[in-house]
Every structure is written in structure tokens, then in C-alpha cells.
């Protein structure tokens, strides 16, 4: 069931999304070689609680194995859902930080992949192309298009660069629940899938690898890694479908103020 949001609901969703954006920037301040991922998680949780909201990922999932943290922190070949802990970031890592909050009954969920210190050119290109693909997907998120138009735009851009497009995990509707209908795959055929309508709110989130699209999960039953060990990137925005042009509720602007990350030199976001 797809829920179309009123303008007042969209305002609340913007607040939730913007809190995630500001949380990611708080975390960005500490991203450097030697920092423990658990420290980043505590910074995020404190900031969210201080802003009268709840971390949405903590406790999410099956009762016998709920996600234990505020952030998903996924390093190098880890694609998504990595669990923060005592691992330290190293020079040259790429690290995806995904964060969700619930504020005033509405959810925000978005993600950014950071370069830690000096990274390989090949990895920086992966980040750049994945970020570009996110905006190419968002360009298609307009009234009258279909979810396949979004997926096709993302897939085409990434495949043209020789990358793998993860298929096992997809974007989604978002609102009073973190995951709502419809599914928003990062692959597909234009003109196929669910029809997009004004007022639909979506989390669009390409998960892209330098190798295969195939992934597997680790024994913690959360961390998803590439099957071939190639590095992966993940960027996610929350958007509203509108006539002519989608509106982006989240922003990477706060991150851009913190980091001189090369992929933010463009005018995106
Ligand atoms: Mg999501
Ligand atoms: Mg997310």
C-alpha cells in the first residue's frame, strides 16, 4: 500500500531527513584514520537524542537479532548494514555511513560514503559515479514516471562505468514507517514498475560495487559484503515525487561544510 503525503506530513518528513543530514555531518567531523567506528555511533546517537528524536535502526529487525546500533557503518567491501564496534578506520578506506531517525512520528533515512584520508583513484571514481547515479535516479522521480525509470537511470550510469549494481537490496517508500511501498530497485527497465505520483516519498539508495552485483551476508546476519571482495559505495536521499522535478528532503550540504571530500566539488545536492 502506497501512502501519498500531505504538505504538512512532508514538512515533518523534511525535519526528520534534515536531522539525519546534520547527524551525518556531526559524524563527518570525526572521520579520520584511527577512529573507532563505535565512537562514531555514540556521536550519532547522542546528537539524535539531543534533538528530540529516536535512532531508527537501533532495535530494528528480528527479535532474536535486532540491529544493535544507531548507524550502519560499512567499510570497503562491506556494502551496507555493517555494525559499529572497536574496528578502527584506516587511511585509504571508504566508509559508508547510513543513518535513520524517527522524529514526530516520521522517518528520515539517508547515507553517504566517505573517503578516509588519501584513497585510491579507483575508489574515488566509484564514489563519484555512485553519487552521480543517485542524482540521475532522482531526476526520474517525477509524477507520471515509473520506478523502473529510476532504476534504469541508476543502472545505466553505473554499468557504463563497469560497476556492479547490487540487486538484493533496494530503495523504498518512507514515511510513518522506515520502509514503505513501493520498492525502488537500482536496476530495471524504463516504463516498468510502479507508477510515481505527486506526494509519494521515497528513499533512493544506489549500492554499487567495483566488481560483481552479487553479495552475501556475514555470520552476524547483518553485514552485507560483496561476493568478490570488491569495494562498494552507497548514497541515499529522501525525496518527494512532484510534477516536473522531485524535491530532495535530505541534504549533503552540512557534510560539504565539514569535509573537503573531492566528490562534493560539484553542485550536487
Ligand atoms: Mg533506506
Ligand atoms: Mg539507509
Amino acid at each position: 500500500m502506497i501512502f501519498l503525503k500531505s504538505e504538512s506530513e512532508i514538512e515533518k518528513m523534511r525535519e526528520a531527513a534534515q536531522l539525519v543530514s546534520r547527524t551525518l555531518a556531526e559524524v563527518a567531523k570525526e572521520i579520520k584514520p584511527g577512529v573507532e567506528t563505535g565512537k562514531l555511533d555514540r556521536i550519532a546517537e547522542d546528537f539524535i537524542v539531543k534533538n528530540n528524536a529516536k535512532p531508527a535502526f537501533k532495535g530494528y529487525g528480528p527479535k532474536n537479532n535486532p540491529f544493535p546500533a544507531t548507524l550502519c557503518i560499512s567499510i570497503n567491501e562491506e556494502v551496507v548494514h555493517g555494525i559499529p564496534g572497536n574496528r578502527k578506520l584506516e587511511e585509504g578506506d571508504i566508509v559508508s555511513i547510513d543513518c535513520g531517525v524517527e522524529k514526530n512520528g516520521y522517518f528520515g533515512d539517508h547515507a553517504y560514503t566517505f573517503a578516509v584520508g588519501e584513497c585510491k583513484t579507483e575508489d574515488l571514481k566509484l564514489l563519484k559515479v555512485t553519487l552521480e547515479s543517485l542524482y540521475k535516479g532522482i531526476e526520474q522521480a517525477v509524477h507520471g514516471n515509473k520506478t523502473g525509470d529510476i532504476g534504469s537511470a541508476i543502472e545505466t550510469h553505473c554499468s557504463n562505468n563497469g560497476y556492479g549494481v547490487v540487486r538484493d537490496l533496494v530503495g523504498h517508500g518512507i514515511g510513518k514507517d522506515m520502509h514503505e511501498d513501493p520498492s525502488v530497485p537500482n536496476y530495471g527497465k524504463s516504463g516498468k514498475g510502479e507508477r510515481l505520483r505527486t506526494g509519494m516519498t521515497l528513499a533512493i539508495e544506489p549500492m554499487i560495487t567495483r566488481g560483481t552485483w552479487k553479495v552475501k551476508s556475514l555470520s552476524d546476519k547483518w553485514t552485507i559484503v560483496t561476493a568478490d571482495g570488491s569495494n562498494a559505495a552507497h548514497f541515499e536521499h529522501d525525496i518527494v515525487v512532484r510534477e516536473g522535478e522531485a524535491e530532495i528532503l535530505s541534504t549533503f550540504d552540512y557534510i560539504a561544510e565539514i569535509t573537503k571530500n573531492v566528490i562534493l566539488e560539484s553542485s550536487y545536492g
Side-chain angles (χ1 to χ4, degrees), residues 57 98-99 109-111 172 205 234 236:
F57 297 170
D98 194 351
C99 179
D109 171 20
H110 81 122
H172 49 92
E205 48 178 319
H234 176 216
E236 178 176 23

mmCIF file of all heavy atoms in Angstrom, residues 57 98-99 109-111 172 205 234 236, ligand 2:
data_model
loop_
_atom_site.group_PDB
_atom_site.id
_atom_site.type_symbol
_atom_site.label_atom_id
_atom_site.label_comp_id
_atom_site.label_asym_id
_atom_site.label_seq_id
_atom_site.Cartn_x
_atom_site.Cartn_y
_atom_site.Cartn_z
ATOM 1 N N PHE A 57 17.378 2.803 13.540
ATOM 2 C CA PHE A 57 17.937 1.481 13.229
ATOM 3 C C PHE A 57 18.098 0.624 14.484
ATOM 4 O O PHE A 57 18.014 -0.598 14.421
ATOM 5 C CB PHE A 57 19.319 1.593 12.559
ATOM 6 C CG PHE A 57 19.323 2.290 11.216
ATOM 7 C CD1 PHE A 57 20.530 2.644 10.620
ATOM 8 C CD2 PHE A 57 18.147 2.584 10.541
ATOM 9 C CE1 PHE A 57 20.564 3.280 9.382
ATOM 10 C CE2 PHE A 57 18.167 3.224 9.309
ATOM 11 C CZ PHE A 57 19.384 3.578 8.732
ATOM 12 N N ASP A 98 25.233 5.043 7.128
ATOM 13 C CA ASP A 98 23.786 5.099 6.890
ATOM 14 C C ASP A 98 23.120 5.375 8.228
ATOM 15 O O ASP A 98 23.491 4.788 9.246
ATOM 16 C CB ASP A 98 23.323 3.746 6.318
ATOM 17 C CG ASP A 98 21.917 3.793 5.725
ATOM 18 O OD1 ASP A 98 21.221 4.801 5.885
ATOM 19 O OD2 ASP A 98 21.537 2.775 5.099
ATOM 20 N N CYS A 99 22.156 6.306 8.227
ATOM 21 C CA CYS A 99 21.549 6.721 9.492
ATOM 22 C C CYS A 99 20.044 6.892 9.305
ATOM 23 O O CYS A 99 19.591 7.400 8.280
ATOM 24 C CB CYS A 99 22.177 8.045 9.935
ATOM 25 S SG CYS A 99 21.513 8.699 11.479
ATOM 26 N N ASP A 109 15.967 8.705 6.497
ATOM 27 C CA ASP A 109 16.900 7.588 6.274
ATOM 28 C C ASP A 109 17.805 7.975 5.122
ATOM 29 O O ASP A 109 17.346 8.001 3.983
ATOM 30 C CB ASP A 109 16.061 6.334 5.945
ATOM 31 C CG ASP A 109 16.884 5.148 5.468
ATOM 32 O OD1 ASP A 109 18.101 5.105 5.730
ATOM 33 O OD2 ASP A 109 16.287 4.247 4.834
ATOM 34 N N HIS A 110 19.058 8.368 5.457
ATOM 35 C CA HIS A 110 19.945 8.580 4.304
ATOM 36 C C HIS A 110 21.400 8.327 4.637
ATOM 37 O O HIS A 110 21.751 8.092 5.785
ATOM 38 C CB HIS A 110 19.645 9.881 3.559
ATOM 39 C CG HIS A 110 20.163 11.155 4.069
ATOM 40 N ND1 HIS A 110 20.978 11.957 3.313
ATOM 41 C CD2 HIS A 110 19.952 11.802 5.213
ATOM 42 C CE1 HIS A 110 21.239 13.049 3.999
ATOM 43 N NE2 HIS A 110 20.625 12.993 5.150
ATOM 44 N N ALA A 111 22.196 8.274 3.573
ATOM 45 C CA ALA A 111 23.530 7.680 3.689
ATOM 46 C C ALA A 111 24.529 8.393 2.779
ATOM 47 O O ALA A 111 24.148 8.964 1.750
ATOM 48 C CB ALA A 111 23.472 6.203 3.311
ATOM 49 N N HIS A 172 13.190 2.385 -1.272
ATOM 50 C CA HIS A 172 11.872 2.095 -0.706
ATOM 51 C C HIS A 172 11.078 3.371 -0.457
ATOM 52 O O HIS A 172 11.659 4.465 -0.332
ATOM 53 C CB HIS A 172 12.057 1.352 0.623
ATOM 54 C CG HIS A 172 13.045 2.023 1.552
ATOM 55 N ND1 HIS A 172 12.664 2.940 2.505
ATOM 56 C CD2 HIS A 172 14.406 1.939 1.639
ATOM 57 C CE1 HIS A 172 13.742 3.362 3.155
ATOM 58 N NE2 HIS A 172 14.817 2.791 2.648
ATOM 59 N N GLU A 205 18.505 4.814 -3.101
ATOM 60 C CA GLU A 205 19.799 4.480 -2.493
ATOM 61 C C GLU A 205 20.614 3.469 -3.301
ATOM 62 O O GLU A 205 20.621 2.278 -3.005
ATOM 63 C CB GLU A 205 19.606 3.964 -1.071
ATOM 64 C CG GLU A 205 18.552 2.893 -0.875
ATOM 65 C CD GLU A 205 18.504 2.423 0.599
ATOM 66 O OE1 GLU A 205 19.568 2.264 1.221
ATOM 67 O OE2 GLU A 205 17.396 2.207 1.113
ATOM 68 N N HIS A 234 27.644 3.553 -1.299
ATOM 69 C CA HIS A 234 26.201 3.659 -1.018
ATOM 70 C C HIS A 234 25.873 5.109 -0.690
ATOM 71 O O HIS A 234 26.442 5.672 0.254
ATOM 72 C CB HIS A 234 25.874 2.751 0.187
ATOM 73 C CG HIS A 234 24.456 2.811 0.659
ATOM 74 N ND1 HIS A 234 24.120 2.720 1.995
ATOM 75 C CD2 HIS A 234 23.283 2.941 -0.011
ATOM 76 C CE1 HIS A 234 22.803 2.785 2.123
ATOM 77 N NE2 HIS A 234 22.271 2.923 0.921
ATOM 78 N N GLU A 236 22.350 7.736 -0.262
ATOM 79 C CA GLU A 236 20.880 7.672 -0.138
ATOM 80 C C GLU A 236 20.319 9.052 0.181
ATOM 81 O O GLU A 236 20.846 9.756 1.050
ATOM 82 C CB GLU A 236 20.513 6.693 0.985
ATOM 83 C CG GLU A 236 19.019 6.555 1.259
ATOM 84 C CD GLU A 236 18.717 5.490 2.316
ATOM 85 O OE1 GLU A 236 19.608 5.164 3.132
ATOM 86 O OE2 GLU A 236 17.573 4.993 2.329
HETATM 87 MG MG1 LIG B 2 19.507 3.983 4.808
#
